[in-house]
Amino acid sequence: MTENSALDPEDRKIVTLARSARARNGVPEGAAVRDETGRTYVAGTVDLPSLRLSALRTAVAMAVASGAKSLEAAAVVSEAEAASAEDLAAVRDLGGAGTPVLLAGPDGVLRVRVAAG
């Protein structure tokens, strides 16, 4: 387990935003991404009969739809122990293989930091 105090303030911010989205919407996951200009995009899990997206893929889609050209970092808050291959691929598609993906538990404590690639 990694201490959140080791995170820089901008990474701590996206973990907090992801945690808030999860709690506010009562969904299994919350996510936030930060684009190349510092803008953040926050999302929760989408679970409709015709559309199912993880919170992280939804946040990446929101960034793309808003004109983001790249990502600096991504965070997801979930019960999961690891980010899915599909989530990492979405982050990698927009941000590149080296984009950090932060996975935190529902308590907001960082579990793991991996590169999207």
Side-chain angles (χ1 to χ4, degrees):
M1 199 174 303
T2 305
E3 290 296 321
N4 282 9
S5 59
L7 289 175
D8 77 30
E10 292 301 312
D11 287 348
R12 196 167 32 248
K13 176 183 170 184
I14 62 172
V15 169
T16 300
L17 290 169
R19 185 174 184 220
S20 296
R22 181 181 184 270
R24 179 178 57 251
N25 297 322
V27 291
E29 297 177 336
V33 298
R34 185 175 62 248
D35 74 9
E36 75 284 358
T37 68
R39 290 181 297 180
T40 56
Y41 306 88
V42 182
T45 308
V46 174
D47 190 7
L48 300 172
S50 64
L51 180 63
R52 286 183 167 71
L53 291 172
S54 71
L56 191 50
R57 282 179 273 164
T58 303
V60 170
M62 291 173 65
V64 170
S66 297
K69 302 296 182 213
S70 184
L71 294 178
E72 290 182 349
V76 62
V77 172
S78 173
E79 295 278 353
E81 296 296 322
S84 72
E86 294 87 358
D87 282 354
L88 294 175
V91 172
R92 184 175 56 247
D93 285 349
L94 185 57
T99 306
V101 178
L102 312 169
L103 176 65
D107 58 1
V109 175
L110 185 65
R111 290 182 178 161
V112 67
R113 177 186 186 115
V114 298

